[in-house]
Amino acid sequence: MWAGASLEAALALGVLLIGLAPAQGYNCSYTLTKQWPVGAYPASVEFSSSNNTVVVASYFSNSVTFYTEQGDFLSQFPNTLPEELAVDSAQDRIYVLGGGYLKAYTLSPPHQLVNSGPAPTARTVDVAADGSIWMGSSDPSSGAPSLTRLNATTGAVLQQFSITHLASRIAVSPVTGDLFYSSPISNTVTRLNATDGSVIREWGSQGSGNCQFLYPRVAVDSAGNVLVSECYRFLLLCLSEADSCTPAAHALVGLSAGTCMLRFRCMFW
């Protein structure tokens, strides 16, 4: 049983958009290659590289559904109010955050529940290259935001540090190991050193200009591309080391086929 780590309201269009991305970092020329309906209010989207499946969490349908890259239904299992997904293909695990709990299921059918623990203040989750779990939370008494790394088997806390802004989405770079988190409060995206939590770079402010956001959501793909969904302007942006933001696609929710994965949803607080 894991030890625990507030949930957010989520709303997204009921269409999944698939884009094919280039293989090298910071080249974000995404092209729409596939779309299909996935039911009411998909809250989170993941891609499993082990079996090339698309995984969608449907918040109001209380379910997690698996599709082929072509959009064909494969399997489904129930989960109360799922809001966030994280896939660990190497360990055959899918983590589902929602309804006040973090749960781990087998990625392969029949998707058996293998671990569960309360996470009443957790807002986002991702998996590091070593299989440990990163969660973004807020302290229930002070409201102070923090990032915590847990042992995926025991739930023991391995690391924890405070952050400046409330995290709506955390993403671990598979290339550098750095942490990225987006905040709907400050409308920023921040890059952190995963060892000590020090800030490496921060992008953004509220607005509609270059590198300004309204309710951003960050993701890092397998090539190291740092991407931000911008729901109010229906944009997908690529962040560069030169502090610039360039349009990458026109998707609200999406992921690439095989090369990389994006986890996007529109949130209304």
Side-chain angles (χ1 to χ4, degrees):
M1 188 72 170
W2 288 322
S6 141
L7 297 179
E8 56 198 340
L11 181 65
L13 294 181
V15 176
L16 183 63
L17 306 175
I18 302 296
L20 185 61
Q24 299 302 317
Y26 294 120
N27 181 3
C28 293
S29 179
Y30 278 74
T31 303
L32 180 65
T33 59
K34 179 72 177 178
Q35 70 179 44
W36 68 86
V38 292
Y41 305 110
S44 185
V45 179
E46 278 282 359
F47 180 76
S48 169
S49 60
S50 62
N51 53 10
N52 294 329
T53 56
V54 178
V55 192
V56 180
S58 295
Y59 182 79
F60 289 123
S61 298
N62 294 297
S63 63
V64 176
T65 307
F66 293 73
Y67 299 90
T68 67
E69 291 179 279
Q70 291 71 43
D72 299 320
F73 175 86
L74 290 173
S75 59
Q76 186 179 80
F77 65 85
N79 190 95
T80 303
L81 301 177
E83 298 189 70
E84 190 93 357
L85 300 174
V87 165
D88 186 348
S89 297
Q91 301 299 318
D92 192 42
R93 292 289 182 270
I94 181 168
Y95 298 93
V96 184
L97 182 65
Y101 285 86
L102 177 64
K103 298 180 180 181
Y105 298 86
T106 57
L107 190 57
S108 303
H111 310 301
Q112 295 176 315
L113 179 66
V114 294
N115 217 334
S116 176
T121 65
R123 293 179 176 270
T124 177
V125 62
D126 201 9
V127 179
D130 64 0
S132 58
I133 306 167
W134 279 100
M135 289 199 298
S137 307
S138 59
D139 183 271
S141 56
S142 67
S146 64
L147 297 181
T148 303
R149 186 166 70 95
L150 304 175
N151 182 294
T153 303
T154 66
V157 175
L158 303 175
Q159 281 178 274
Q160 188 172 55
F161 41 78
S162 299
I163 53 177
T164 305
H165 314 295
L166 181 68
S168 63
R169 180 77 188 98
I170 183 174
V172 184
S173 171
V175 177
T176 66
D178 292 338
L179 301 176
F180 293 79
Y181 77 91
S182 53
S183 173
I185 306 301
S186 60
N187 289 290
T188 55
V189 174
T190 306
R191 179 179 183 176
L192 303 177
N193 183 308
T195 302
D196 58 12
S198 58
V199 176
I200 298 173
R201 189 178 298 275
E202 187 166 274
W203 295 265
S205 60
Q206 182 172 327
S208 57
N210 186 50
C211 265
Q212 290 188 312
F213 308 123
L214 287 172
Y215 299 97
R217 295 277 292 175
V218 70
V220 182
D221 68 22
S222 59
N225 293 308
V226 183
L227 301 145
V228 182
S229 63
E230 229 276 30
C231 294
Y232 275 86
R233 289 182 292 172
F234 301 96
L235 294 176
L236 175 62
L237 302 173
C238 177
L239 303 184
S240 76
E241 293 288 358
D243 290 327
S244 64
C245 301
T246 57
H250 52 273
L252 275 182
V253 290
L255 53 88
S256 73
T259 304
C260 58
M261 174 281 306
L262 316 176
R263 282 162 288 209
F264 297 144
R265 60 179 169 179
C266 283
M267 301 184 311
F268 300 86
W269 289 63

